[in-house]
Amino acid sequence: MKQIPILASVVSLFLLLHLAKSEEKLVRDSLLEFLSKLSNNKSISIPGFGWNTSSDPCSDRWRGITCDLQHFHVKNIDLGSFDLQGLFDPKTLCNVQSLSQSLLIINVSKNSIHGENLDYIKNCSELTHLDISGNQFSGQLPNSISELRNLQTLDVSGNKISGSLPDLSQMHGLTVFLAQENDFSGAIPELDFSRFKEFNVSHNFLSGRIPGGLHGFPLSSFLDNLELCGPPLPNQCSLVAAEDSAPEAPPSPPPVSPSAKHGKSGLTNNQILMYIGYVLIGFVALFLILLCLRKRGKKRREAVDADNKVAAFDDSMMKPSFSTVELKAGGGVSKSEYSTASAESGQVSTSLIVLSSPEANGLRFEDLLKAPAELLGRGSHGSVYKVACEAQGMNLAVKRIKDWPISSGEFRQRMRRLSQVKHPNVMPAIAHYSSGQEKLIVYEFQQNGSLFRQIHGNESPLDWSSRLTVAATIADAIAYMHEELQYDRIPHGNLKSSNILLNSNMEACISEYGLMLVEGEEQKGGIVANRALEAAQEDYKSIFKVDTYAFGVVLLELLTGRMVLTEGLDLASWVVAVVREEWTVEVFDKSLIREGVSEERMVNVLQIAIKCVAKSLQARPSMRQVALAVSAIREDDERSLDVSELSITRSFVAL
């Protein structure tokens, strides 16, 4: 009799395993169908995707798929910027129960796809982020999208979507709504906008008064909606209000009594007065219409004139006005004249987007323009300024990038993505600004300067322990960023000792992460001496090997105390040549040798650096491998230091 419960348990377990396998197959088949439609049945030919019937989305880490590894549920689908040109069909995902209950993020931005069955998106009830921006979606958004109560970010910008805006009042968790560059029409609904961090409906066909709760948002959130009025737009709503309050049709005349007097035409006096009233109302209405048309034409002419004036300005953002100090590579200074007066500030000055730092709340573009600025350095891609903002009581570092071939929309999306990935040793941007070819990124100013200055401009050189700590810290931070941004394909792109800053605690922090498109670029000193674009076509992770090379150069600076370029000589090439001739000790900084640092440990770090600067991308290790190797050397060094201190203490006690 005891065998019956055991048999029942075995059968139940078998059924559960069978159901689990069936569910896994259903999820895999649904994802494959989803991608197949997105890519017009060409997903098989997309290199590096790894989506196939013989693998598992979670355990085999399909490209663009992130899973909850504890329960092996698909959590995120991120297929942005994959040049897909098919059909977005949420029915294939949201009709599968396990997917609909686990999916948190769907991102298919910056492709060329259109959509159908969008009503089924409501079944993915746990979604927190939906991004379909930069595609070819048309028609109206289904009303059912407002049933996504957990949605925090909804980005439908850069499409051809028409009709009215979705009902945002039911989406209580929504904090980011981006709908710019579409064909939306009608009014902006009244609701509680205090929870929104970002709201943008510019470049549509919206009309009416901007709700009062949106007055704190920048002008750029509402531009190019000719029928919108009210703050922050310059056109007021007086005419609209006048039309709304125009007199209604007069009531029907009272019945005429038999004894009423008749005029010559047989009309009563009341009828004559009524018709005179009609004529007067007609004249008033005609006057209002003509006045409205005249003012609207005047505003359009003023807008065109303003655009022409802005276009006529010189491309340079800075105008001479006061003295600043420019730091040279060799540590000297030279005087130059610069000021942060922008030709564009009249039209788009309110489009500074503040990302973080409570101290910077209320920071406006005008604050940066008016504040005293000091030029800290100038490179091939832009300049860095120290700006003292008295209103916020803080010093800021403003990076100005010129001629970066990336649209304002892509730039904002990149900055938003970078702000989501946080590491204590990667400096977050406080704010950013974009207009045409001008792009600004605002950071908190670091008073203790850069690693470059500590290595090459400091009279008291860094000791071995400090150098190892910096190397381990930076390697771990870069490795973390690579892992978090691998599917976004955003490396640092311009890692160098001058972009590694020291905070108030003298801890190394990486600045300017992700501000360069490294594909196909060549930089001085061999920092990006490779063909990253060709390699990325074979292996999308190869683009991160650019940072591996750059980190290797930083390691060589720490080991040798030499600059990346000395009298035209490339540091990496020089070190490799010296080591090849077996003169290894010759490369090390003399101050380290005088300090009595273990030659074995210096050689171990040198070997890591040489692997990092290998000419072949495939020969370079990943940054996670580098971080583990450097950390191991640092831990060994710390253990030996503890043993040495213990020996000294015992000797002292023995005396």
Side-chain angles (χ1 to χ4, degrees):
M1 296 295 292
K2 293 182 179 180
Q3 293 180 349
I4 294 176
I6 296 174
L7 181 61
S9 300
V10 171
V11 171
S12 300
L13 181 60
F14 176 78
L15 289 174
L16 287 173
L17 290 174
H18 178 71
L19 289 173
K21 288 291 183 183
S22 300
E23 188 66 21
E24 288 176 6
K25 183 178 183 302
L26 184 60
V27 169
R28 182 184 61 217
D29 292 346
S30 300
L31 289 171
L32 288 173
E33 183 182 358
F34 179 67
L35 178 62
S36 178
K37 288 187 176 183
L38 280 179
S39 60
N40 276 333
N41 300 316
K42 296 178 182 177
S43 57
I44 294 287
S45 63
I46 300 177
F49 254 75
W51 294 40
N52 55 66
T53 56
S54 61
S55 61
D56 180 79
C58 293
S59 59
D60 293 307
R61 298 189 178 184
W62 285 5
R63 185 177 180 187
I65 296 293
T66 304
C67 295
D68 176 359
L69 296 180
Q70 183 177 359
H71 301 100
F72 278 85
H73 290 161
V74 176
K75 187 170 61 173
N76 303 342
I77 299 177
D78 187 354
L79 298 175
S81 304
F82 279 104
D83 196 25
L84 301 171
Q85 301 178 4
L87 179 69
F88 175 78
D89 182 7
K91 181 179 179 182
T92 58
L93 300 175
C94 300
N95 266 17
V96 179
Q97 185 176 3
S98 59
L99 272 176
S100 66
Q101 294 177 353
S102 66
L103 270 178
L104 300 180
I105 297 176
I106 297 179
N107 176 17
V108 293
S109 61
K110 294 192 290 184
N111 288 292
S112 298
I113 59 179
H114 56 285
E116 70 172 18
N117 297 322
L118 295 184
D119 188 56
Y120 285 92
I121 199 75
K122 66 183 179 184
N123 294 340
C124 286
S125 56
E126 301 301 316
L127 271 185
T128 60
H129 294 74
L130 176 62
D131 189 349
I132 61 172
S133 61
N135 282 292
Q136 302 293 325
F137 286 84
S138 59
Q140 299 186 17
L141 287 177
N143 294 329
S144 59
I145 201 169
S146 61
E147 297 179 24
L148 296 173
R149 306 297 168 83
N150 296 314
L151 205 62
Q152 300 171 16
T153 297
L154 176 58
D155 190 347
V156 298
S157 59
N159 285 288
K160 301 175 182 178
I161 303 173
S162 57
S164 58
L165 295 174
D167 184 4
L168 306 179
S169 61
Q170 300 183 43
M171 305 163 77
H172 303 297
L174 197 67
T175 58
V176 175
F177 177 64
L178 303 175
Q180 65 269 26
E181 298 176 13
N182 277 290
D183 297 329
F184 285 110
S185 58
I188 301 176
E190 290 277 359
L191 61 128
D192 178 17
F193 291 101
S194 61
R195 55 188 164 91
F196 281 89
K197 298 177 181 177
E198 291 185 61
F199 186 91
N200 196 326
V201 291
S202 60
H203 306 287
N204 280 287
F205 298 97
L206 298 173
S207 59
R209 184 188 299 272
I210 296 176
L214 290 171
H215 291 177
F217 283 85
L219 172 69
S220 58
S221 293
F222 309 98
L223 288 175
D224 195 22
N225 287 279
L226 297 181
E227 301 297 329
L228 272 185
C229 63
L233 292 175
N235 48 317
Q236 300 302 313
C237 293
S238 55
L239 293 177
V240 176
E243 291 177 359
D244 291 341
S245 60
E248 299 178 358
S252 56
V256 182
S257 64
S259 59
K261 295 184 179 180
H262 290 70
K264 292 182 180 180
S265 60
L267 298 175
T268 65
N269 291 337
N270 287 338
Q271 288 176 322
I272 292 172
L273 291 175
M274 180 184 69
Y275 290 129
I276 291 174
Y278 285 158
V279 172
L280 290 176
I281 291 172
F283 276 120
V284 171
L286 180 62
F287 175 76
L288 289 175
I289 292 172
L290 291 175
L291 184 63
C292 180
L293 291 174
R294 181 181 178 184
K295 287 192 174 183
R296 185 174 298 172
K298 183 179 179 181
K299 287 176 183 176
R300 287 180 177 174
R301 288 194 298 274
E302 288 176 351
V304 171
D305 291 343
D307 289 342
N308 291 336
K309 289 178 181 179
V310 171
F313 276 111
D314 181 30
D315 187 47
S316 174
M317 179 181 169
M318 306 299 171
K319 295 181 180 178
S321 72
F322 58 79
S323 178
T324 64
V325 179
E326 177 183 357
L327 296 181
K328 293 182 177 180
V333 296
S334 63
K335 292 288 182 177
S336 59
E337 300 289 326
Y338 272 84
S339 164
T340 49
S342 171
E344 297 172 303
S345 62
Q347 290 293 322
V348 290
S349 62
T350 55
S351 61
L352 185 76
I353 299 176
V354 178
L355 294 169
S356 62
S357 180
E359 295 83 0
N361 284 341
L363 179 67
R364 300 175 305 163
F365 191 58
E366 289 87 346
D367 298 331
L368 298 181
L369 299 180
K370 296 175 183 177
E374 177 183 337
L375 180 63
L376 299 178
R378 183 187 290 114
S380 57
H381 296 287
S383 307
V384 180
Y385 299 85
K386 177 185 176 183
V387 178
C389 285
E390 296 181 359
Q392 283 71 32
M394 61 190 308
N395 291 325
L396 303 174
V398 180
K399 172 75 174 183
R400 176 199 178 204
I401 303 177
K402 287 194 66 177
D403 302 322
W404 188 5
I406 182 174
S407 69
S408 294
E410 291 173 321
F411 172 73
R412 287 193 296 271
Q413 185 172 9
R414 172 175 284 229
M415 295 306 299
R416 185 165 65 248
R417 178 69 183 110
L418 288 172
S419 70
Q420 295 169 351
V421 182
K422 302 184 186 302
H423 188 279
N425 297 105
V426 177
M427 287 179 56
I430 290 177
H432 63 82
Y433 165 88
S434 175
S435 177
Q437 295 300 312
E438 287 289 1
K439 293 171 178 65
L440 302 179
I441 301 96
V442 182
Y443 296 97
E444 185 176 351
F445 179 74
Q446 302 301 320
Q447 192 68 39
N448 291 321
S450 67
L451 180 62
F452 177 91
R453 183 179 295 178
Q454 287 291 323
I455 298 174
H456 306 296
N458 197 350
E459 294 181 1
S460 56
L462 291 171
D463 61 22
W464 172 247
S465 178
S466 299
R467 299 189 198 202
L468 259 187
T469 299
V470 168
T473 300
I474 297 306
D476 182 70
I478 292 291
Y480 174 83
M481 299 298 286
H482 283 188
E483 289 163 359
E484 290 294 313
L485 296 167
Q486 58 177 319
Y487 295 120
D488 300 278
R489 289 171 287 180
I490 304 179
H492 186 290
N494 194 27
L495 182 65
K496 51 188 176 181
S497 57
S498 59
N499 282 340
I500 299 172
L501 306 181
L502 301 174
N503 63 18
S504 57
N505 298 322
M506 292 302 288
E507 296 172 337
C509 289
I510 302 166
S511 70
E512 300 185 18
Y513 190 98
L515 300 191
M516 285 292 117
L517 295 177
V518 301
E519 297 173 334
E521 289 188 358
E522 294 285 331
Q523 295 186 3
K524 292 180 181 179
I527 292 181
V528 191
N530 58 75
R531 296 183 179 88
L533 182 59
E534 295 177 7
Q537 293 172 349
E538 300 175 3
D539 179 4
Y540 75 101
K541 291 185 179 179
S542 295
I543 193 173
F544 293 98
K545 297 296 182 71
V546 174
D547 286 350
T548 302
Y549 186 101
F551 179 77
V553 174
V554 173
L555 272 186
L556 292 179
E557 286 184 84
L558 289 167
L559 286 170
T560 66
R562 292 172 176 261
M563 291 190 180
V564 177
L565 282 175
T566 305
E567 298 179 355
L569 186 62
D570 174 47
L571 177 60
S573 300
W574 175 78
V575 169
V576 171
V578 171
V579 172
R580 189 181 296 122
E581 297 296 330
E582 299 183 356
W583 298 341
T584 303
V585 180
E586 295 296 323
V587 305
F588 296 128
D589 192 340
K590 297 299 185 290
S591 65
L592 296 179
I593 296 175
R594 287 194 298 269
E595 187 184 334
V597 177
S598 166
E599 183 179 330
E600 179 184 357
R601 292 195 187 94
M602 289 194 293
V603 169
N604 289 340
V605 176
L606 179 62
Q607 289 174 344
I608 296 172
I610 290 175
K611 288 181 180 178
C612 290
V613 298
K615 292 183 179 180
S616 169
L617 284 169
Q618 288 71 25
R620 298 175 196 168
S622 70
M623 281 305 301
R624 177 53 63 196
Q625 292 171 315
V626 173
L628 291 173
V630 175
S631 294
I633 296 174
R634 180 191 178 196
E635 290 172 4
D636 182 59
D637 188 75
E638 289 176 346
R639 282 195 298 269
S640 66
L641 185 62
D642 292 340
V643 171
S644 175
E645 289 178 351
L646 182 60
S647 300
I648 293 172
T649 303
R650 287 175 176 173
S651 300
F652 179 78
V653 171
L655 292 175

